[in-house]
């Protein structure tokens, strides 16, 4: 019975969605970014700690061949801006911020009959704030992406992302691919969000390069919000202790990081928009993964 359920899970999340070469059923990760680095070090100091836990829960539609996938998650930040109190015009005098996010992405995968197209429609409901009941903490958004399978090794993607951020409406075009170069080397992702280059080194050891872009905003106390923009370039190593239990280790650097504080009233404006340092990044993840 258990083997049958696992097989159903693989069919739903992979053969239907034609996505990355594995499925992370459970992923618990933490990131440390101390105020140390190699580039852009002459700006304002900053650092953060980050925690995230996420699930993947699919339902398959046998008649259409599509699927409905629920991906709940919870996240927590501790952002430090030690230079912020040097701005005498600011009302809220503190250096640390503790925003939390609770989200539920819901994805509908719809294969287009008698074609090589697959439509990915995702709705994202989330609450981003220091306290869940703060006005303006609820955000709604999502994205629509069309996949086109050129051949068994190459799939192209294009679409549009939208979210109602604390600072207003945010739109972003999406372009990506899935390319299996050979049996041990693959590339996949959707920019500007993320991109992965993965190489199988040994039976239980994979490594590669990853790029992730972060653009989130969170409601703060006293009518403020914090906006976090980061580009994270890292080397990663995935160690498989068993067939499904994975330890993911990453080390990298931020690129053009930006942390802003703004007013969340009718007149939205930044009250802190200074250039800040780019820092080192260290990520550790414990994952229950189904590899294809």
């Amino acid at each position: 019975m258990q083997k049958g359920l696992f097989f159903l899970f693989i069919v739903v999340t992979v053969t239907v969605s034609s996505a990355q070469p594995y499925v992370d059923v459970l992923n618990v990760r933490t990131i440390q970014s101390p105020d140390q680095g190699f580039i852009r070090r002459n700006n304002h100091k900053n650092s953060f700690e980050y925690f995230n836990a996420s699930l993947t829960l699919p339902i398959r539609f046998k008649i259409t061949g599509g699927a409905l996938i629920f991906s709940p998650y919870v996240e927590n930040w501790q952002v430090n801006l030690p230079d912020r109190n040097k701005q005498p015009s600011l009302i809220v005098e503190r250096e640390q911020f503790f925003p939390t996010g609770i989200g539920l992405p819901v994805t509908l995968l719809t294969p287009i009959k008698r074609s090589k197209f697959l439509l990915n429609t995702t709705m994202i409901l989330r609450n981003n704030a220091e306290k869940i009941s703060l006005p303006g903490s609820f955000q709604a958004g999502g994205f629509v992406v069309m996949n086109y399978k050129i051949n068994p090794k190459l799939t192209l993607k294009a679409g549009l992302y939208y979210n109602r951020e604390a600072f207003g409406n945010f739109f972003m075009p999406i372009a990506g691919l899935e390319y299996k170069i050979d049996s041990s080397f693959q590339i996949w992702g959707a920019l500007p969000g993320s991109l992965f280059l993965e190489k199988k080194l040994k039976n239980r050891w994979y490594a590669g390069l990853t790029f992730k872009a972060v653009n989130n905003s969170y409601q703060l106390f006293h009518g403020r919000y914090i906006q976090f923009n980061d580009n994270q370039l890292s080397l990663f190593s995935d160690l498989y202790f068993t067939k499904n239990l994975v330890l993911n280790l990453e080390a990298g650097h931020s690129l053009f990081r930006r942390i802003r504080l703004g007013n969340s009233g009718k007149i939205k404006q930044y009250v802190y928009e200074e250039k800040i340092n780019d820092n080192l990044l260290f990520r550790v993840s414990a994952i229950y993964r189904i590899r294809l």
Side-chain angles (χ1 to χ4, degrees):
M1 179 65 179
Q2 290 181 343
K3 290 183 179 180
L5 291 175
F6 277 124
F7 176 76
L8 175 61
F9 186 91
I10 293 174
V11 169
V12 169
T13 55
V14 182
T15 60
V16 174
S17 65
S18 183
Q20 61 193 31
Y22 53 74
V23 178
D24 288 345
V25 182
L26 173 64
N27 191 327
V28 179
R29 57 189 177 273
T30 181
I31 305 175
Q32 300 287 328
S33 183
D35 192 46
Q36 301 173 14
F38 304 114
I39 59 174
R40 295 184 74 245
R41 299 295 301 157
N42 57 344
N43 299 309
H44 286 251
K45 295 180 179 179
N46 71 94
S47 64
F48 74 83
E49 299 177 11
Y50 177 78
F51 170 83
N52 179 291
S54 61
L55 285 170
T56 300
L57 306 170
I59 300 174
R60 184 189 180 192
F61 304 135
K62 293 183 179 180
I63 297 177
T64 64
L68 185 66
I69 302 174
F70 298 90
S71 307
Y73 71 87
V74 60
E75 63 179 0
N76 178 261
W77 296 79
Q78 178 179 317
V79 181
N80 303 290
L81 297 173
D83 287 348
R84 186 179 176 277
N85 57 10
K86 297 179 182 179
Q87 308 294 318
S89 62
L90 300 181
I91 298 175
V92 183
E93 296 295 342
R94 58 181 175 130
E95 301 176 359
Q96 291 188 322
F97 304 87
F98 304 91
T100 296
I102 301 173
L104 178 60
V106 180
T107 299
L108 178 62
L109 298 172
T110 308
I112 309 301
K113 291 185 178 180
R114 293 183 293 275
S115 76
K116 297 182 178 181
F117 289 96
L118 172 72
L119 180 62
N120 180 333
T121 306
T122 298
M123 177 182 65
I124 304 174
L125 304 176
R126 56 188 173 188
N127 191 287
N128 284 0
E130 286 191 298
K131 186 178 180 180
I132 193 170
S133 60
L134 287 178
S137 61
F138 177 76
Q139 299 179 8
F143 58 85
V144 176
V145 174
M146 183 65 77
N147 294 5
Y148 179 69
K149 189 173 184 179
I150 295 179
N151 56 53
K153 291 186 176 182
L154 178 61
T155 298
L156 299 182
K157 306 179 181 183
L160 181 67
Y161 170 86
Y162 165 78
N163 192 60
R164 177 63 181 180
E165 300 283 349
F167 54 83
N169 295 319
F170 178 76
F171 292 89
M172 180 66 70
I174 300 172
L177 82 166
E178 300 162 13
Y179 183 31
K180 186 174 182 179
I181 299 174
D182 56 39
S183 60
S184 65
F185 188 24
Q186 301 185 64
I187 301 174
W188 72 90
L191 293 173
S194 62
L195 185 68
F196 295 82
L197 285 75
E198 181 195 71
K199 177 71 173 178
K200 182 178 181 180
L201 302 178
K202 292 185 178 181
N203 187 38
R204 292 191 175 184
W205 183 23
Y206 293 76
L209 180 70
T210 176
F211 171 82
K212 300 182 181 73
V214 180
N215 181 31
N216 289 339
S217 60
Y218 301 83
Q219 195 66 39
L220 303 176
F221 294 108
H222 308 292
R224 305 287 197 203
Y225 68 85
I226 187 168
Q227 179 184 346
F228 193 80
N229 302 103
D230 201 17
N231 301 289
Q232 303 172 356
L233 186 64
S234 304
L235 296 172
F236 72 87
S237 177
D238 288 342
L239 304 174
Y240 286 71
F241 293 106
T242 68
K243 182 179 179 181
N244 302 115
L245 296 180
V246 184
L247 175 65
N248 165 260
L249 302 174
E250 293 187 24
H253 208 284
S254 68
L255 302 172
F256 306 105
R257 177 178 292 176
R258 201 68 180 268
I259 301 176
R260 300 179 175 101
L261 298 171
N263 291 316
S264 55
K266 292 183 178 180
I267 301 177
K268 291 180 169 58
Q269 61 181 6
Y270 293 123
V271 296
Y272 178 85
E273 198 181 9
E274 302 298 323
K275 292 183 178 181
I276 62 174
N277 292 337
D278 274 314
N279 298 341
L280 293 171
L281 292 160
F282 303 97
R283 179 184 284 104
V284 179
S285 304
I287 305 169
Y288 186 87
R289 173 176 293 172
I290 296 178
R291 187 100 203 171
L292 306 178

